[in-house]
Amino acid sequence: MANIKRIGVLTSGGDAPGMNATIRAVVRTAIFYDIEVYGIYKGYNGLIDNEFKKLKSKSVRDIVHRGGTFLKSSRSDRFRTPEGRQQAYENLKKNEIDALIVIGGDGSFMGAGIFSKEHDIPCIGLPGTIDNDMFGTDFTIGYDTALNTVVEAIDKIKDTAGSHERMFLVEVMGRDAGFIALTAGIATGAEAIFIPEVENQVDTLLDTLKEGKVEEKSSSIIIVAEGSKGGVNEIAKQVKDLYPHLDIRVNVLGHMQRGGSPTAFDRFLASRMGVAAVEALLDDQRSIMVGYVNHEIVHVPFNKTIKKQRNLDGGLMKVAKVLSI
Ligand code: F6P
């Protein structure tokens, strides 16, 4: 077993529901194994600014169900510089911290990988992002909650779309990936789904409109992932130019997708992964992400999860199309 006496935990990048449950699992597992835990506030910025606080079991009481991250988060430009990472290392030494657990997305793991190599500090990553775009895990912490939030919002939009016989284009998050859009589209029965992974979707939509299939319906929902070519307003404009009689509205769901109490699945995933992260450190692992594949915990080297792109299941676009007529 590795000789680890004190670890640090931080959340980095965009927050995701379930981050608090993850911190709780890390803290309680460490205490179970007689390891001290320090919370590092505001992500890598707090590592550089020495914002450390010892966490006890009761510090993480009553947070398993809370959205956001009580440690707070940041996207740190300073940690991208060798000077910033040097300062971070000095703070870790000063606080006698032997290893780091980072909860975040691929940008956060890239930083952790460089830091670990530069300063010989074991780092373990836990995938916390609503985008579900990490290679090496079937699910990221926060995705299920965000998906349910999106589905709930679209169900409501469908009510008003139906009353007014309108077409709604709804933009959802996901950065460069279409996981939220595609899954939410299938779950809400959207008439069309735009995702960054598929090209020429405007043409496909216009063809579908030409066939009259969408117009046969009194209202319709089109989901647009934020990374889709052209963007939601441009797509809306192109449709309106060709079909001026359509009453079109654009709705950008935005940051509400990142909030809210995590679902049971996200709490469960966060808890399993948090335990696995501390056990991985004890098992002498470093520079790996804890993933969840086929309902099992796996370890994926940082360089694999950062470099490889997670592909969407191409067959799902067909499922969405077949069910949308
Ligand atoms: O990665 C999570 C995410 O919410 C993306 O879906 C989105 O593109 C981005 O973060 C938004 O970042 P910010 O909160 O910095 O605007």
Side-chain angles (χ1 to χ4, degrees), residues 75 129-131 173-175 226 255 258:
R75 302 189 197 276
T129 164
I130 63 163
D131 301 338
M173 277 188 170
R175 201 178 286 275
E226 63 176 340
H255 285 78
R258 291 230 297 258

